Amino acid sequence: MVKKINACVFISGKGTNLATLVKSSRKNNFPLKIELVISNKKDAPGLKISKRNSIRFKYFSSKKMRIFEKKCLIELKKREIKFICLAGFMRILSKDFIKNFSHKIINIHPSLLPKYKGTNTHARVLRNKDRFSGCTVHYVTPKLDSGKIIKQKKVLIEKNENEDSLKKKILKVEHAIYPKSIIKIFK
């Protein structure tokens, strides 16, 4: 059995990657124990996943990001969190937050970075008529979607692909590679 590290998952939405990480964290060989979920949206559907799995969760408004980050850092320290996974967290963490947390922070992004950093990735991929898209797990740095890549997975874009079908296809791949990326980090 692997010694588990206390982790926090930051979410803004449905929490499908959160659900995958929670499921993975129950396995003996998975290095993280999800101790906390933080959301910047009070009504994020992913918070229901926390409740169902008896995982402590916190909501902090992100209207003033500096205050949001300060509250997060206090909570992370209190819970002895040593690892953060961003999973559909739709805010950019500041340089100060990253420095003050001083442990690893990773993110999953729905494109083959360095292409299509930021939001609306599927629309941009389709507009540019790319043959492939995919997802990337990477370390979080102060520069948006620019940290060292941990793992990527490619998907073929079909001729009749639309934003919704591409999003669903990539989300399935995200669920597969996010836990594998975390295992890779701790090997």
Side-chain angles (χ1 to χ4, degrees):
M1 188 165 150
V2 173
K3 184 180 184 320
K4 295 189 180 256
I5 292 167
N6 289 346
C8 177
V9 181
F10 280 41
I11 65 168
S12 295
K14 291 179 184 168
T16 62
N17 274 305
L18 168 63
T20 298
L21 294 175
V22 168
K23 185 178 176 185
S24 296
S25 72
R26 294 203 170 116
K27 297 176 183 169
N28 287 340
N29 69 336
F30 197 74
L32 301 181
K33 180 181 182 196
I34 311 294
E35 279 289 320
L36 180 65
V37 173
I38 292 178
S39 177
N40 64 317
K41 294 200 174 175
K42 192 178 203 171
D43 57 353
L47 293 176
K48 291 177 184 156
I49 294 165
S50 301
K51 288 178 193 172
R52 274 197 309 270
N53 289 281
S54 302
I55 297 170
R56 189 179 317 274
F57 64 90
K58 292 286 182 179
Y59 153 75
F60 301 120
S61 170
S62 63
K63 285 184 179 123
K64 291 190 175 160
M65 205 55 187
R66 200 176 88 250
I67 295 167
F68 170 85
E69 290 181 345
K70 187 176 180 184
K71 289 178 179 179
C72 288
L73 286 167
I74 290 166
E75 198 63 33
L76 294 166
K77 189 173 184 168
K78 189 179 358 174
R79 305 277 163 228
E80 298 181 4
I81 302 297
K82 305 287 188 221
F83 198 93
I84 296 174
C85 300
L86 304 182
F89 181 65
M90 302 306 288
R91 297 299 306 222
I92 298 168
L93 296 171
S94 73
K95 183 176 166 181
D96 284 341
F97 178 89
I98 294 165
K99 186 181 91 181
N100 287 318
F101 179 62
S102 76
H103 300 286
K104 289 183 173 93
I105 305 172
I106 63 171
N107 182 44
I108 188 149
H109 183 76
S111 81
L112 295 172
L113 292 174
K115 289 178 97 177
Y116 307 109
K117 296 174 183 182
T119 58
N120 302 315
T121 54
H122 306 307
R124 292 187 287 154
V125 165
L126 293 171
R127 192 170 45 246
N128 289 336
K129 298 182 183 348
D130 287 6
R131 271 200 67 201
F132 295 96
S133 188
C135 55
T136 305
V137 178
H138 65 94
Y139 289 104
V140 173
T141 64
K143 197 171 174 191
L144 179 67
D145 296 329
S146 297
K148 183 181 172 198
I149 292 170
I150 301 160
K151 199 168 190 58
Q152 283 187 317
K153 184 78 174 170
K154 219 188 260 193
V155 299
L156 179 67
I157 298 173
E158 306 293 334
K159 285 186 175 136
N160 61 347
E161 204 82 66
N162 60 46
E163 275 185 68
D164 194 49
S165 65
L166 184 58
K167 181 180 179 178
K168 286 177 183 167
K169 186 187 286 187
I170 290 175
L171 197 55
K172 281 183 186 174
V173 176
E174 287 181 24
H175 297 164
I177 77 162
Y178 211 175
K180 288 177 183 171
S181 300
I182 292 167
I183 290 168
K184 181 182 176 184
I185 290 168
F186 287 92
K187 276 192 173 173

